[in-house]
């Protein structure tokens, strides 16, 4: 069996979550036009930190504490094309921008939940809370 065939092999993972959580995941997956499996797989990978992943050329890349790698952008492009199918240049850029906007929105939400930043209408944008 070739390396490509081995990396293409799939297996299943079974887990139990509350029905409300599964419903929330299913709704979010639908909004992203993803299967539930693809959604869970993507969210699990996005949540992992400091792990080794193989790159396209067979070397290992280390994911930093921010969850990014040298191959991250290429992975995003592949994920968008897998999810959307054939896209022209403008369509691909639009989908990538949408994904980045979603990431920024989620990060801002987490930072506000952690009280590390807040939105200031007076200052016209997000500011550090200086609570650290």
């Amino acid at each position: 069996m070739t390396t490509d065939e081995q990396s293409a092999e799939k297996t299943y993972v079974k887990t139990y979550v509350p029905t409300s959580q599964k419903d929330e995941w299913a709704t979010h997956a639908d909004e992203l036009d993803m299967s539930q499996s693809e959604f869970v797989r993507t969210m699990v990978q996005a949540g992992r930190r400091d792990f080794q992943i193989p790159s396209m050329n067979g070397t290992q890349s280390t994911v930093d504490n921010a969850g990014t790698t040298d191959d991250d952008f290429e992975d995003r492009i592949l994920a968008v094309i897998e999810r959307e199918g054939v896209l022209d240049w403008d369509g691909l850029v639009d989908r990538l921008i949408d994904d980045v906007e979603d990431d920024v929105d989620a990060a801002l939400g987490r930072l506000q939940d952690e009280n590390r930043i807040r939105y200031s209408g007076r200052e016209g944008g997000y500011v550090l809370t200086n609570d650290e």
Side-chain angles (χ1 to χ4, degrees), residues 5-25:
E5 290 171 330
Q6 289 172 340
S7 64
E9 281 187 49
K10 296 187 180 205
T11 187
Y12 74 96
V13 175
K14 190 172 188 176
T15 187
Y16 295 92
V17 297
T19 303
S20 60
Q21 187 173 32
K22 183 188 183 297
D23 293 344
E24 184 178 323
W25 288 355

Side-chain angles (χ1 to χ4, degrees), residues 1 4 8 11 13 21 23 33 35 41 53-54 56-57 59 66 81 93 102 110 121 124 128:
M1 182 177 293
D4 288 339
T11 187
V13 175
Q21 187 173 32
D23 293 344
D33 196 27
S35 70
R41 186 172 51 251
I53 58 171
M56 297 297 271
N57 63 9
T59 62
I81 293 171
V93 170
D102 291 345
R110 285 189 303 273
L128 296 175

Side-chain angles (χ1 to χ4, degrees), residues 27-41:
T27 300
H28 198 178
D30 286 343
E31 290 169 1
L32 296 172
D33 196 27
M34 299 170 85
S35 70
Q36 289 180 41
S37 293
E38 181 183 17
F39 175 79
V40 171
R41 186 172 51 251

Side-chain angles (χ1 to χ4, degrees), residues 38 55-56 71-85 87 92 96 99:
E38 181 183 17
S55 69
M56 297 297 271
D71 298 326
D72 194 44
F73 198 68
E74 289 88 351
D75 292 341
R76 283 179 172 238
I77 291 170
L78 293 170
V80 167
I81 293 171
E82 179 181 346
R83 184 176 70 226
E84 301 288 332
L87 292 167
L92 180 59
L96 290 168
D99 285 354

Side-chain angles (χ1 to χ4, degrees), residues 78-127:
L78 293 170
V80 167
I81 293 171
E82 179 181 346
R83 184 176 70 226
E84 301 288 332
V86 176
L87 292 167
D88 64 9
W89 172 266
D90 291 334
L92 180 59
V93 170
D94 287 344
R95 298 316 185 291
L96 290 168
I97 289 170
D98 288 345
D99 285 354
V100 170
E101 287 174 346
D102 291 345
D103 290 347
V104 170
D105 186 52
L108 287 172
R110 285 189 303 273
L111 290 168
Q112 289 177 94
D113 289 346
E114 296 168 2
N115 201 31
R116 296 172 62 192
I117 64 170
R118 66 179 172 79
Y119 183 81
S120 170
R122 174 178 274 178
E123 296 185 46
Y126 294 95
V127 297

Side-chain angles (χ1 to χ4, degrees), residues 39-75:
F39 175 79
V40 171
R41 186 172 51 251
T42 301
M43 293 302 111
V44 168
Q45 284 300 103
R48 296 178 64 199
R49 299 291 185 262
D50 292 320
F51 63 98
Q52 295 285 320
I53 58 171
S55 69
M56 297 297 271
N57 63 9
T59 62
Q60 295 288 317
S61 297
T62 300
V63 175
D64 64 21
N65 288 330
T68 59
T69 70
D70 296 335
D71 298 326
D72 194 44
F73 198 68
E74 289 88 351
D75 292 341

